[in-house]
Amino acid sequence: MTNTLVLVNSGSPSVADALQLALPYLDHLGIPYDLLDLLHDTLPADVPARPLVVAAQRDLDLRGRRLGRGGAGALAEAVALGAGLVCFDPALVLGDESSPEEGFAPLAESIVVADNGHPITAHRTSGEVVPLVGHLSVPPLPLSGDTVLLTAEGRPLLVARTYGKGRIARWATLRWAQTKVLGPLAGLDDLLWRSLVWAARKPFVMRGLAPIVAMRVDDVAGSGTRWGRSPLSWAGSAVRHGFRPWLGLFLNNLTQEAVAEARELVERGEATAFPHAFGRPPRAGGGWHWAEDAPLLRSGTYDEFIYFDHERGRPWDDVEAARGLAAVDAWYAAHGPLPISRYAVAHWYELGANTVAHMTDRWGVEFVGKIQDVDAPLRDETPWLRLGPFRRYERPGSALFDPALRGDRPVYYADFVTFGGRRLFNCVTEIRDDAGYEWAPDTDVAATVGRGVRQLRRALNSMALAVLFTHETDFIHSIPPDVWDEELAGIWEGVRGYNPISMTLDDAVRYVRATRTARLVASNDDGSGAIEATFAGRADVPTHCYVFVEGDEGLTGTLAGVPAVGTEAATWTTTLED
């Protein structure tokens, strides 16, 4: 079994590009690799047998001494014998290439798809422009007969060619992956993973993420009656069109009819529901139903929060936190049975650490959606969480939405956290640079469908969890049912080509967690057509891997099933099957 070989040089000032940009993508994609630091080691003899080599940073071969005997020529020879190469070092000259032109590196404000006639860019449109949010310095690439796929400020950013029996994809820089320039889930991730897959010797196996589509609706108050329908008729419509919504309940806004409807959806496995907040009282300009026996009002304005004192921007003290949680338990005792989702998202993502143990130990919560730390309000000055796959290294920006603090950059978390002494898996997807915070549906069918399709595709193209995210009280309640139906049908049709797998957020986040707890560590092709994959860890649900084969010029890959494995950490091998 031979894995991808990733080359870094810890003696180079550019090693941060490898450690903070390239490796997080490889880990996110689930590509098993061996890391070689050229400061201490030279190229191994087995490079020609590797499916893929990634030169993960600029200035990899400082002074031409780090690649060992044969230098860059040995690497080029390995590619000629069939190894693939993806190179992020514009100064590394290979084989028949000429040294790059010296001179000023222009600062680009956008990236252009120059050629969509190549498998890497075939799903894009020639001339398509990806605007940047910051300037990108574009160093020159070595001169060769490469096909130019992407340009930035008129200079090649991504080029590709065959070389002997192998393939080479070159990026002038990976610094577009910084949120101050563009960042993850912002329009280039698919071209990055496709360049890796295209260059690699086949068959090539990577974990990836299956095309899972989920739906999240916060602030659920049961507004369908205003249209002469049942309170949660909009959720039933979502189910009919392929979605399985997570319902963030406004408990005291729900009528008995709404609770019964939520129960039916949950019991059929078509939705999950969580106590998101006590809800929106009928204060000035309100109009929402409010339960007569609603037990407590702790705010003088706006909504009634469960897990955090939003009005004062601080956690409830322990006594008040316990009182609020007891009120939730009393509501469920009076309105149950209604299973509580194992995926917890608090109103405004605001969560006191002193509420977490109750959620996990009493309600069975395993997963959480958070973009800022516990005990912190959601404000511009509150930093976003430092979590994987992409936000472990950068100086944090705003957890809220201030563009000056990078708060408008897309968010994807899929990582473990410890809150209130409990270990949880945090998973959130927000495509913030399309329509702001969320999907924001309205009565304009074409615009609403366009936003929904773009946001789901952005996540699917990035191999991240695709979540159609909105709010009932702010958006859904004002959309007539026939318009809502048309919009949902259009969105599902817009992603049908991905062969989407519809899941509740509970199941979807459990699946994502399993791809983190059971890592693909190696794969082996014995020549018989069967591929053995070795995993380290455990998976509590069945998952998948992608298998790409030679001749798969569309680079779509085949989803191969991976079984669930036990409760104990282990290394285990399975034969991948379609």
Side-chain angles (χ1 to χ4, degrees):
M1 297 184 182
T2 54
N3 288 340
T4 293
L5 181 65
V6 178
L7 306 178
V8 301
N9 183 349
S10 62
S12 165
S14 300
V15 69
D17 288 357
L19 302 181
Q20 299 179 13
L21 300 177
L23 295 189
Y25 268 108
L26 295 176
D27 291 335
H28 164 66
L29 295 169
I31 295 176
Y33 61 86
D34 299 323
L35 190 65
L36 181 73
D37 185 352
L38 293 173
L39 181 65
H40 306 294
D41 299 292
T42 56
L43 290 176
D46 69 350
V47 175
R50 299 277 181 164
L52 180 65
V53 179
V54 178
Q57 64 176 85
R58 185 171 178 146
D59 298 326
L60 188 67
D61 191 22
L62 284 174
R63 294 177 294 279
R65 300 176 183 175
R66 292 300 172 191
L67 285 172
R69 182 174 297 176
L75 185 57
E77 182 179 352
V79 176
L81 292 173
L85 173 66
V86 173
C87 184
F88 297 106
D89 184 358
L92 187 63
V93 179
L94 300 166
D96 59 355
E97 296 175 338
S98 302
S99 296
E101 298 175 348
E102 295 184 4
F104 174 72
L107 295 178
E109 296 182 350
S110 62
I111 293 169
V112 179
V113 178
D115 183 350
N116 71 341
H118 192 277
I120 295 174
T121 51
H123 64 300
R124 306 298 281 263
T125 303
S126 289
E128 177 184 346
V129 177
V130 179
L132 303 175
V133 295
H135 291 101
L136 179 67
S137 177
V138 189
L141 286 170
L143 303 176
S144 67
D146 298 340
T147 300
V148 178
L149 304 181
L150 297 178
T151 62
E153 198 60 27
R155 178 168 282 182
L157 175 66
L158 171 62
V159 300
R161 66 165 171 155
T162 58
Y163 185 76
K165 296 180 179 179
R167 294 170 174 172
I168 300 173
R170 274 189 172 277
W171 290 84
T173 180
L174 188 53
R175 292 186 180 178
W176 54 261
Q178 298 172 329
T179 58
K180 66 180 181 180
V181 180
L182 183 65
L185 273 75
L188 287 189
D189 294 359
D190 52 332
L191 298 174
L192 176 59
W193 73 254
R194 287 172 184 273
S195 70
L196 293 163
V197 170
W198 175 80
R201 179 192 282 114
K202 313 300 187 301
F204 184 71
V205 180
M206 74 178 187
R207 197 69 155 106
L209 184 70
I212 298 169
V213 172
M215 186 178 192
R216 172 184 152 200
V217 183
D218 290 4
D219 302 3
V220 171
S223 62
T225 52
R226 70 172 53 199
W227 301 104
R229 305 289 181 92
S230 63
L232 298 182
S233 56
W234 57 265
S237 177
V239 171
R240 288 193 301 275
H241 290 290
F243 299 96
R244 298 184 181 187
W246 178 92
L247 309 175
L249 302 179
F250 269 5
L251 298 182
N252 292 330
N253 292 129
L254 299 173
T255 63
Q256 287 289 3
E257 184 185 3
V259 174
E261 197 169 3
R263 182 184 302 113
E264 291 177 4
L265 289 167
V266 172
E267 289 179 346
R268 290 197 300 262
E270 296 171 343
T272 56
F274 183 79
H276 187 60
F278 287 119
R280 189 156 296 170
R283 298 189 176 105
W288 297 98
H289 166 81
W290 187 254
E292 293 181 1
D293 58 349
L296 73 168
L297 290 175
R298 302 188 287 184
S299 173
T301 59
Y302 191 50
D303 294 340
E304 289 292 315
F305 286 65
I306 297 172
Y307 311 98
F308 194 83
D309 186 351
H310 175 78
E311 193 169 13
R312 295 170 183 81
R314 66 192 185 195
W316 301 114
D317 63 49
D318 290 348
V319 172
E320 193 60 39
R323 190 165 80 96
L325 294 168
V328 175
D329 289 339
W331 187 94
Y332 274 86
H335 296 84
L338 179 58
I340 295 179
S341 169
R342 294 181 181 270
Y343 179 68
V345 181
H347 197 22
W348 280 65
Y349 294 115
E350 293 179 343
L351 187 66
N354 56 2
T355 67
V356 175
H358 190 96
M359 292 193 301
T360 59
D361 301 354
R362 187 176 178 93
W363 301 345
V365 166
E366 300 178 54
F367 319 109
V368 67
K370 284 281 286 169
I371 57 179
Q372 83 275 35
D373 207 348
V374 288
D375 296 336
L378 183 59
R379 295 175 177 171
D380 282 334
E381 64 268 24
T382 301
W384 66 45
L385 281 169
R386 283 184 177 266
L387 286 178
F390 301 118
R391 288 189 168 180
R392 290 195 180 102
Y393 304 105
E394 271 191 297
R395 177 178 58 83
S398 169
L400 200 54
F401 317 122
D402 186 351
L405 300 172
R406 293 169 290 144
D408 61 346
R409 306 317 302 141
V411 177
Y412 182 58
Y413 287 125
D415 202 358
F416 287 95
V417 292
T418 299
F419 290 152
R422 300 297 188 270
R423 190 168 188 254
L424 299 163
F425 188 73
N426 186 60
C427 193
V428 176
T429 306
E430 291 180 3
I431 308 299
R432 292 186 170 192
D433 62 341
D434 182 79
Y437 174 46
E438 54 128 280
W439 166 37
D442 55 31
T443 56
D444 185 330
V445 174
T448 296
V449 170
R451 288 192 297 272
V453 170
R454 286 195 304 271
Q455 293 186 22
L456 291 178
R457 285 180 177 175
R458 188 85 72 76
L460 291 166
N461 287 341
S462 299
M463 292 200 173
L465 178 60
V467 181
L468 190 65
F469 164 44
T470 189
H471 296 69
E472 181 187 358
T473 55
D474 296 324
F475 297 100
I476 297 175
H477 78 97
S478 63
I479 302 174
D482 57 339
V483 173
W484 177 247
D485 275 339
E486 186 177 355
E487 290 171 346
L488 292 173
I491 292 169
W492 193 261
E493 184 61 31
V495 297
R496 188 179 298 279
Y498 291 84
N499 297 315
I501 302 170
S502 178
M503 290 188 181
T504 64
L505 263 174
D506 292 54
D507 290 340
V509 176
R510 185 178 298 278
Y511 183 110
V512 175
R513 183 180 68 177
T515 68
R516 299 308 194 259
T517 58
R519 293 278 186 176
L520 175 67
V521 295
S523 63
N524 182 52
D525 173 25
D526 63 6
S528 68
I531 297 175
E532 288 188 336
T534 301
F535 297 83
R538 66 182 184 89
D540 57 349
V541 292
T543 55
H544 300 84
C545 277
Y546 284 90
V547 180
F548 297 90
V549 298
E550 203 60 65
D552 185 8
E553 294 301 304
L555 299 183
T556 55
T558 299
L559 271 181
V562 177
V565 169
T567 57
E568 303 216 350
T571 298
W572 45 282
T573 300
T574 186
T575 300
L576 297 179
E577 298 178 356
D578 295 0

